[in-house]
């Protein structure tokens, strides 16, 4: 198992034909996690041949339109396609109310159950977990309440070195070794899991989704060492004052956050419509943090390919 990410939109509030509004689609163990759902996200899913039916969890950072105006359309389409599986939506105060009104006046009745959980953006906390991942909130600084999300794969089981196992060991004891626990065998001898009877599994994947936000170093301890950090870069640093006024970040600042948090890779996006050529963004971020990826609509990232 590994994370697989597809970027559905790298634009910001003002529409641009080459850059859709924000949405990222992450697949983990055949289940889809959608981060933000800007206008026409469902069209982007079709364009990039992704199955909307796979989406089980939706996370909305904040209530600016370029981050959630596609949600009601997506829900209606899932309904038309006779979805029956439960859907889990996490978003700020007001989102459930907006969706309820939209459904009321469009006479939309969902055939499937939606579990809605309101997010809080004052502090970081564990939002949800399942067998494979856990998701923690990342409080951000924006003009409306906003929280990013950190999704972390749970520790992978150790690989058993069968040929080294003593013959008298039970299945339960093997299971403990796989989980990384040392075992006391029937002869009173300790069988050490790590580096003896097992090899540690590959490092778990992790992905932090940070948009929209002003430069905000308080997030550093939460995203420390993450495998891939997505950080918004609405502006180039020459407009740092504009970034400050509008609670956005520059490419240089995203690079600084990535460097100071010791992340492995940085992905940038949410580019202002004023920029046609995005080369200066990657150049600026790389001045500070070399392992930077310039986001593009339709770009897909297999976490196994990341350093
Ligand atoms: Zn915003």
């Amino acid at each position: 198992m590994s994370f697989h990410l597809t970027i559905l939109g790298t634009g910001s509030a003002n529409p641009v034909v080459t850059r859709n509004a924000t949405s990222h689609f992450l697949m983990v163990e055949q289940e889809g996690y959608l981060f933000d759902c800007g206008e026409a996200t469902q069209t982007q899913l079709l364009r990039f041949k992704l199955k909307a039916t796979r989406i089980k969890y939706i996370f909305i950072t904040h209530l600016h339109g370029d981050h959630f105006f596609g949600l009601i359309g997506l829900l209606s389409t899932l309904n038309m396609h006779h979805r029956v599986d439960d859907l889990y939506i996490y978003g700020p105060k007001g989102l459930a109310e907006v969706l309820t009104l939209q459904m009321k006046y469009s006479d939309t009745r969902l055939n499937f159950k939606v579990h809605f959980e309101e997010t809080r953006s004052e502090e970081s906390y564990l939002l949800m977990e399942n067998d494979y991942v856990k998701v923690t909130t990342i409080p951000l600084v924006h003009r409306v309440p906003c929280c990013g999300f950190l999704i972390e794969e749970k520790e992978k089981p150790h690989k058993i070195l069968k040929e080294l196992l003593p013959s008298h060991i039970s299945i339960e004891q093997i299971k403990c070794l796989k989980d990384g626990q040392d075992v006391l065998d029937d002869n009173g001898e300790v069988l050490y899991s790590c580096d003896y009877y097992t090899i540690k599994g590959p490092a778990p994947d992790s992905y932090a989704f940070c948009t929209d936000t002003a430069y905000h170093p308080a997030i550093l301890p939460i995203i420390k060492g993450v495998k891939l950090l997505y950080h918004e870069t609405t502006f180039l640093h020459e407009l740092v004052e504009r970034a400050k006024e509008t609670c956005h970040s520059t490419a240089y600042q995203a690079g600084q956050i990535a460097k100071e948090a010791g992340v492995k890779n940085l992905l940038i996006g949410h580019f202002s419509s004023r920029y046609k050529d995005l080369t200066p963004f990657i150049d600026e971020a790389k001045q500070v943090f070399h392992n930077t990826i310039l986001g593009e609509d339709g770009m897909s990232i297999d976490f196994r390919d990341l350093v």
Side-chain angles (χ1 to χ4, degrees):
M1 178 187 79
S2 128
F3 285 10
H4 193 102
L5 179 73
T6 306
I7 303 168
L8 301 176
T10 55
S12 55
N14 207 19
V16 182
V17 283
T18 50
R19 303 198 284 265
N20 208 75
T22 300
S23 186
H24 286 197
F25 181 77
L26 184 74
M27 282 294 288
V28 182
E29 284 286 337
Q30 306 301 315
E31 289 181 337
Y33 298 71
L34 193 73
F35 293 92
D36 279 343
C37 187
E39 191 181 340
T41 290
Q42 54 174 327
T43 319
Q44 294 292 82
L45 288 164
L46 289 171
R47 180 168 293 137
F48 304 124
K49 301 189 172 24
L50 298 163
K51 287 199 170 83
T53 47
R54 289 275 175 85
I55 297 170
K56 185 168 178 185
Y57 306 97
I58 299 178
F59 302 85
I60 302 293
T61 54
H62 67 296
L63 292 190
H64 281 157
D66 55 324
H67 294 262
F68 87 104
F69 278 175
L71 187 51
I72 188 66
L74 177 65
L75 295 181
S76 305
T77 305
L78 290 174
N79 203 41
M80 276 195 291
H81 292 173
H82 309 295
R83 182 190 178 101
V84 288
D85 297 335
D86 289 11
L87 182 70
Y88 297 80
I89 302 179
Y90 305 87
K93 183 177 169 53
L95 180 60
E97 191 183 338
V98 173
L99 292 173
T100 305
L101 269 182
Q102 286 175 312
M103 285 191 268
K104 180 180 168 189
Y105 288 104
S106 60
D107 195 23
T108 306
R109 272 161 239 169
L110 298 181
N111 311 308
F112 55 92
K113 190 162 183 195
V114 174
H115 303 263
F116 183 82
E117 189 170 329
E118 198 171 286
T119 53
R120 291 175 274 118
S121 50
E122 301 83 29
E123 60 188 342
S124 174
Y125 62 98
L126 178 67
L127 182 62
M128 60 80 75
E129 63 181 323
N130 57 29
D131 288 347
Y132 310 112
V133 298
K134 61 175 185 162
V135 178
T136 309
T137 61
I138 308 171
L140 299 173
V141 171
H142 199 42
R143 305 190 305 279
V144 293
C146 183
C147 84
F149 303 98
L150 168 67
I151 176 164
E152 296 171 285
E153 186 182 14
K154 290 188 172 171
E155 195 80 36
K156 291 170 181 164
H158 293 212
K159 186 173 179 286
I160 290 279
L161 300 170
K162 274 188 198 149
E163 60 285 2
L164 298 181
L165 286 180
S167 52
H168 58 272
I169 192 164
S170 71
I171 299 212
E172 285 73 34
Q173 287 169 326
I174 292 177
K175 205 176 159 294
C176 289
L177 289 172
K178 252 186 150 172
D179 289 340
Q181 298 163 21
D182 300 331
V183 163
L184 195 63
D185 74 2
D186 299 343
N187 305 329
E189 240 180 86
V190 180
L191 308 176
Y192 293 100
S193 170
C194 239
D195 302 325
Y196 200 85
Y197 293 111
T198 70
I199 302 173
K200 235 181 157 195
D205 285 338
S206 53
Y207 178 55
F209 184 76
C210 295
T211 194
D212 292 352
T213 186
Y215 175 67
H216 187 45
I219 66 173
L220 295 175
I222 309 167
I223 59 169
K224 191 168 183 281
V226 72
K227 191 160 189 184
L228 181 64
L229 163 67
Y230 170 71
H231 196 289
E232 71 124 291
T233 54
T234 307
F235 300 106
L236 289 171
H237 208 65
E238 62 195 15
L239 292 182
V240 66
E241 282 309 311
R242 178 90 185 117
K244 209 170 163 187
E245 280 159 31
T246 54
C247 291
H248 284 297
S249 299
T250 69
Y252 187 85
Q253 290 172 329
Q256 274 182 313
I257 292 285
K259 185 181 168 193
E260 284 160 28
V263 309
K264 306 286 188 296
N265 301 273
L266 168 67
L267 170 67
I268 56 173
H270 199 269
F271 308 112
S272 161
S273 60
R274 76 188 65 215
Y275 302 104
K276 301 269 175 297
D277 176 19
L278 300 178
T279 319
F281 278 86
I282 188 82
D283 292 347
E284 189 172 289
K286 278 192 171 188
Q287 273 179 38
V288 198
F289 187 78
H290 183 72
N291 284 345
T292 303
I293 302 164
L294 182 74
E296 263 176 54
D297 288 25
M299 176 183 268
S300 106
I301 298 172
D302 188 327
F303 278 51
R304 282 173 297 196
D305 300 333
L306 296 173
V307 291

